[in-house]
Structure formats: structure tokens, C-alpha cells
Amino acid sequence: MGVLGEAWTWLTTGANWSGESGAGHRLGEHLYVSGVSLVLACAIALPVALYLGHIGKGGALAVNLSNVGRAIPVFAVLALFMVSPLRNAGYVPTIIALVLFAVPPLLTNAYVGMTEVDRSVAEAARGMGMSGGQLFVRVELPLAYPMIMTGLRSAAVQVIATATIAAMVGQGGLGRIITAGFNTYNTPQVVAGALLVAVLALAVEAVLVGLDRALSPLRRRRTA
Amino acid sequence: MAGQNCLVTNDWICGEYLRSRSQELTDATVQHIWITAVSVVIGLLVAFPLALLARRSRRIAGPVLGLTTVLYTVPSLAMFSLLLPLFGLSAALVVTGLVLYSLTILVRNILAGLEAVPQEAKDAAKGMGYGPGRLLWEVELPLALPAVMAGFRIATVSTIALTTVGSIVGRGGLGNLIEDALPSFFKAQVLTASVLCVLLAVVADLLLLGVQRLLTPWTRIRTTRDAVGAVAKVKAV
């Protein structure tokens, strides 16, 4: 409990939160980098996955991609960017690396969600005279929605946890608190940094669960 | 001439680098391989009893799955830093961290595999007088093997990628070369180590796929379409 107590002291010391390398600024950087990466990853992965799921093709690609994604060492990708001219582009290297990391799970989950839509329901919708677009918007998307949100939530948590690796190549984010503590043998600071990342991940997860509840198409249908 | 100068001009691809540092590259690759191998094997040895425990009762399953999932959200950087006071700067630190990460995937897949064993197969074995140990070893495990191996492959591939982060304590295999090359912007070294790292993952995945096929000859009788569907389902889990 000693280290946790000291970490708490570190977290509640105002001086640790202020300034360029303070926890406040690092938290902002972390949120910004993770948020932008997640939005970009969604913008890339979801249309592809939903389209492939709708036409029912490209299954092998969608499934294997998630395995390829796990094989990408984020540290190596970041390092490659840092020795290229991209190193002068601010947060861009971190964001690209995180997008590469987040696309595969998003794509796979959304695709699996689309293919698990009961075929007989889709057939019935077609029999009722729905066009491809209507089928997609009014049947497939609502039924695939829970799986898409599951993918989004796990991608968000992973992106937030992985964004710390940016600190290993000198980029910003909460990882810098951990590396700074590591380099000065300040274990309470390492714990404090890890706690901040974990709390951020849990908070984002809670927000997404809330959004899920508010937006879920099936739930709305049921209450109406 | 060009071969000699590529170290000076800091080219991305450099034959001279591969020649002059082949020993360094081999050492790093070997370290990478053994850290990964030790981690996933220990991970499997730990995950297996955990999965059996989780299967025995729902009361244990919740905490076991919850704990291994929480472990997965701990940033790898923080994990290695936090284990430092316990292990010092040693490979045991990196291995411990990697074992903890692999548990999430392994426990889930082993559990899913065991739970997907058809009840009829178990009943038939029991009717033939199989005890619980023999039932597990001769009926349930072989039937769960495709799911277990799918999990083992995912765990291995992601462990190979994560091992690079171990360079924060100087035990990251190819990650060490990447870290060393960063301050001097040594492009050839960063690129070579990164490519080797991805190659390792691909080779390991293919090797394990081969092992899986050797261990489960009966799955090959099915049509390919069935097999793809089964794999898709396992991965979706």
C-alpha cells in the first residue's frame, strides 16, 4: 500500500499537474491523440467493413486482418516514423501508428457483426420489397450495431493503453509521466502514470457504454 | 562503392549494415525468439489450469476472466516499469509481463474450446467408463485443440510484437536495436529490426498453423468452406 499511497500523493500534488510536462498537459495530449486516432480509424474501418458485410464478400480478408494487426509492433512503427521526415510533424506519427493499430479490430468486429445478421431476416426484408440500401439501413445496421459498438469499445481501450508507447520515442501523452518516473527511479510516479491511463481508459469505456445505451436502435424500438 | 557508403549516407536499406552487424542482428533475433517462446509456453501452462478452474464454477470464471481482461488494459510500458522493483533489469521481468498479457487471450480461447465440446461426445466417453482425467486428455482436449491453437497463435503473434517494448529495460530482443538506433536516426537498423520483427511473427504464425494441422488430422477431412467458417467463429470469440 506504501507505493499506492505515494502515488496518490503524487497525483494530488498540484505542481505535478502544471506546466508543459505536467499531468494536465499530458492528459490533454493523450486524449487528443487517442481521440483523433479512433475517429480516423472508424472513418476508415467502418465503411469498408459494413460494405463488405453488406455484399457478403471479403470474409477471409476481414478475419485475417485482425491477426495481422496484432503482429504490428507499435513501437517499431513509431520508431520508423521518428527516423523519417515525419518526426517533425507533431502528433502525426503517433496518430498514424495508432490508426494502423485500431483499424483491424474495428473492421473485424463490424464485419462479423454484419455477417451474423440472421440471413432469414434479410431474406424477409428483401421479400417485403426493401432495396439494398433500405435493407442495410433498417435491418442489417441495427442488428449489427451491438457488435460494432463492442469493437469500438475494445479498440478505444486498446488505443488509450497503447498511446503510452509514444513516450518511448519521445512523443507526448501520459506515457511520458511513466518514462520520466522510470528514468528517475520514481516508482510512485510510474504508478500514478499507469493509474491515470487506466482511469482514462475506464472513463472512456463508461462514456461509450452510456452512448451505446442512448443510441442503441433496438432499445429505442422497444421503448417506443 | 554504394554498398560501402550506405552507412554514411544513412540509407533505409543497407547491405553493408546487414554484413557488418550480422552477429548483432542474430543475437537480438535469438533473444527475441527465446523471450517470446518462454513467455507463451509459461502463459499456456498458467492459462490451462485457470481455464479448467473457470470451467468448474461460474463463481471462479467471473473473477478469472475479469482479472485477465483488466491486465490487458494495463499499458505495456507501465507493466514493465511496475515490475521493475520486483525483478530488476532482467529478462524475467519482460517474460512475466508478457505472460500476464498472453493470459487474456489464452484463458478465453481454452475455455471457449472446452465449452464447445459436444455433450454427446462427453456422454459417450463417460458411458465407456472414461474417468475425468482420461475424458479431458483423450476427448475434450483433442476436440478443443483448434480453438486452443487459434488462441495460441494470436498470443504468440501479439507477444512477438509486444516483446519490443521490453527494450525499456534493455531486454526487448529486436526492440533493443530499434531503441539504440533512435538517438542517431540510424534508418537501416530501425527498418531491418522492424522487418525482422514482423517476419518473425509471420513465420511463427505459419509454423503454428502447420503444427495445428499435424495435431488435428481429422479437421482436414472437412471441406475448406467449413474450416474457414469455423476459424471465423473462433476468432470472433
Side-chain angles (χ1 to χ4, degrees), chain A residues 60 63-64 66-68 70-80 82-85 87 109 112 116 147 157-158 160-162 164-165 167-169 175-176 178-179 182 185 187 190-191 194 197-198 201, chain B residues 12 72-78 80-82 84-85 89 105 153-154 157-158 160-162 164-169 175 178-179 181-182 185-187 190-191 194 197-198 201 205 228 231-233 235-236:
Chain A
V63 170
N64 285 321
S66 75
N67 264 13
V68 174
R70 285 182 187 271
I72 298 174
V74 177
F75 173 48
V77 174
L78 273 171
L80 280 174
M82 292 313 282
V83 294
S84 76
R87 66 169 170 273
N109 269 294
V112 170
E116 278 181 357
M147 197 75 183
V157 170
Q158 283 180 33
I160 288 172
T162 309
T164 51
I165 291 181
M168 288 180 77
V169 296
R176 287 294 280 277
I178 298 172
T179 46
F182 182 82
Y185 302 100
T187 309
V190 172
V191 177
V197 178
Chain B
W12 282 104
Y72 206 68
T73 63
V74 177
S76 44
L77 195 62
F80 292 140
S81 307
L82 291 176
L84 186 65
L89 288 170
I105 301 159
R153 278 169 61 201
I154 298 174
V157 165
S158 51
I160 288 175
L162 263 181
T164 54
V165 180
S167 61
I168 188 175
V169 292
I178 298 176
E179 171 126 42
L182 272 179
F185 301 109
F186 193 173
K187 290 177 185 169
V190 174
L191 184 65
S194 304
C197 193
V198 173
D205 198 41
V228 169
V231 169
K233 269 187 204 130
K235 283 182 181 162

Side-chain angles (χ1 to χ4, degrees), chain A residues 58-126:
Chain A
L61 171 88
V63 170
N64 285 321
L65 202 63
S66 75
N67 264 13
V68 174
R70 285 182 187 271
I72 298 174
V74 177
F75 173 48
V77 174
L78 273 171
L80 280 174
F81 288 149
M82 292 313 282
V83 294
S84 76
L86 261 181
R87 66 169 170 273
N88 298 320
Y91 297 118
V92 173
T94 316
I95 291 173
I96 299 179
L98 288 177
V99 167
L100 284 178
F101 179 76
V103 161
L106 280 171
L107 205 149
T108 304
N109 269 294
Y111 179 83
V112 170
M114 285 293 281
T115 51
E116 278 181 357
V117 171
D118 195 340
R119 275 303 105 193
S120 52
V121 175
E123 294 294 320
R126 284 218 187 263

Side-chain angles (χ1 to χ4, degrees), chain B residues 7-208:
Chain B
L7 281 174
V8 181
T9 54
N10 198 9
D11 291 337
W12 282 104
I13 298 166
C14 182
E16 183 57 26
Y17 168 75
L18 293 180
R19 262 191 303 281
S20 59
R21 313 285 174 93
S22 63
Q23 190 54 47
E24 201 179 285
L25 280 167
T26 316
D27 290 347
T29 310
V30 168
Q31 188 187 53
H32 207 109
I33 293 174
W34 79 253
I35 287 181
T36 305
V38 170
S39 304
V40 289
V41 167
I42 296 179
L44 197 60
L45 293 179
V46 176
F48 199 69
L50 281 180
L52 287 182
L53 266 179
R55 185 176 66 145
R56 182 150 296 174
S57 95
R58 289 278 137 209
R59 289 235 305 277
I60 304 174
V64 165
L65 290 179
L67 188 68
T68 51
T69 310
V70 167
L71 280 175
Y72 206 68
T73 63
V74 177
S76 44
L77 195 62
M79 179 84 93
F80 292 140
S81 307
L82 291 176
L83 290 171
L84 186 65
L86 295 175
F87 292 94
L89 288 170
S90 67
L93 183 163
V94 179
V95 168
T96 309
L98 293 173
V99 166
L100 291 176
Y101 282 124
S102 69
L103 287 182
T104 316
I105 301 159
L106 290 173
V107 171
R108 269 174 198 279
N109 274 270
I110 297 173
L111 197 60
L114 288 176
E115 283 180 346
V117 174
Q119 190 60 41
E120 305 91 76
K122 287 191 263 187
D123 288 343
K126 277 182 198 152
M128 287 165 70
Y130 278 42
R134 205 172 156 211
L135 176 72
L136 177 69
W137 190 249
E138 291 182 18
V139 177
E140 291 177 303
L141 263 191
L143 286 174
L145 206 56
V148 174
M149 282 303 287
F152 193 62
R153 278 169 61 201
I154 298 174
T156 306
V157 165
S158 51
T159 301
I160 288 175
L162 263 181
T163 301
T164 54
V165 180
S167 61
I168 188 175
V169 292
R171 303 293 190 283
L174 293 161
N176 292 341
L177 295 184
I178 298 176
E179 171 126 42
D180 291 346
L182 272 179
S184 54
F185 301 109
F186 193 173
K187 290 177 185 169
Q189 182 157 325
V190 174
L191 184 65
T192 310
S194 304
V195 168
L196 276 176
C197 193
V198 173
L199 268 182
L200 266 187
V202 173
V203 170
D205 198 41
L206 290 178
L207 272 180
L208 288 174

